[in-house]
């Protein structure tokens, strides 16, 4: 197993640790959870860089890296919903976008086409990670959480729409 894949697995392992820390209240548990989330997020950047730079791209990494990202983000957002920091409809928008884009990619692959991550998807991912960090850092600042939810929803909707508009021809033969 190469270094990039080990970093992806580390991110997967950190997700339940992150969740346990969130659910077990102790002094500074939110800061510990934030630290774990940051480390997990940095492994995403690192594994992608290492995989491309050192030619460590594998089928396992292509599958597991985006799955690990979704698991990390959705676990944090699920906790925010339970904690009353995010409305469930916002989480639903993120879930629908993720399933939709994944489905679009599957149909494209069946047609011999690969849909690479677009710029708006990268912006969505970065802004979502920053917003989650801010919400973990300052959970008591309600207006900050509301702004972060708005940023997450807007970037999620925009990037999802962009994927479908740019790749609408994928479904032309599928109907």
């Amino acid at each position: 197993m190469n270094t990039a894949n080990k970093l992806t697995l580390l991110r997967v392992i950190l997700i339940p640790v992150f969740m346990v820390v969130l659910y077990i209240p102790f002094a500074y548990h939110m800061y510990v959870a934030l630290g774990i989330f940051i480390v997990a997020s940095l492994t995403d950047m690192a594994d992608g860089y290492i995989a491309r730079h050192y030619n460590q791209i594998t089928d396992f990494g292509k599958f597991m890296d985006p799955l690990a990202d979704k698991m990390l983000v959705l676990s944090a957002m699920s906790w925010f919903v339970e904690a009353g920091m995010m409305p469930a409809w916002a989480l639903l928008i993120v879930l629908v976008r993720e399933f939709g884009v994944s489905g679009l990619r599957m149909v494209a692959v069946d047609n011999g086409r690969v849909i690479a991550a677009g710029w708006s998807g990268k912006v969505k991912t970065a802004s979502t990670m920053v917003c989650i960090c801010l919400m973990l850092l300052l959970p008591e600042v309600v207006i900050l959480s509301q702004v972060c939810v708005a940023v997450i929803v807007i970037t999620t909707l925009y990037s999802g729409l962009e994927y479908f508009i740019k790749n609408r021809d994928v479904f032309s033969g599928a109907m």
Side-chain angles (χ1 to χ4, degrees), residues 19-67:
M19 294 303 289
V20 166
V21 169
L22 283 174
Y23 279 101
I24 299 176
F26 57 89
Y28 308 111
H29 78 110
M30 292 298 283
Y31 297 117
V32 173
L34 172 62
I36 294 167
F37 187 86
I38 290 170
V39 168
S41 297
L42 291 175
T43 66
D44 180 32
M45 291 173 33
D47 70 15
Y49 173 79
I50 290 168
R52 286 184 298 278
H53 189 73
Y54 295 102
N55 197 26
Q56 294 185 5
I57 297 170
T58 64
D59 287 340
F60 174 81
K62 288 179 197 176
F63 168 75
M64 201 62 202
D65 179 62
L67 182 60

Side-chain angles (χ1 to χ4, degrees), residues 4-17 39-40 43 68:
N5 289 343
K6 287 177 184 175
L7 288 170
T8 299
L9 282 179
L10 174 61
R11 185 162 63 260
V12 171
I13 291 166
L14 287 174
I15 294 166
V17 176
V39 168
T43 66

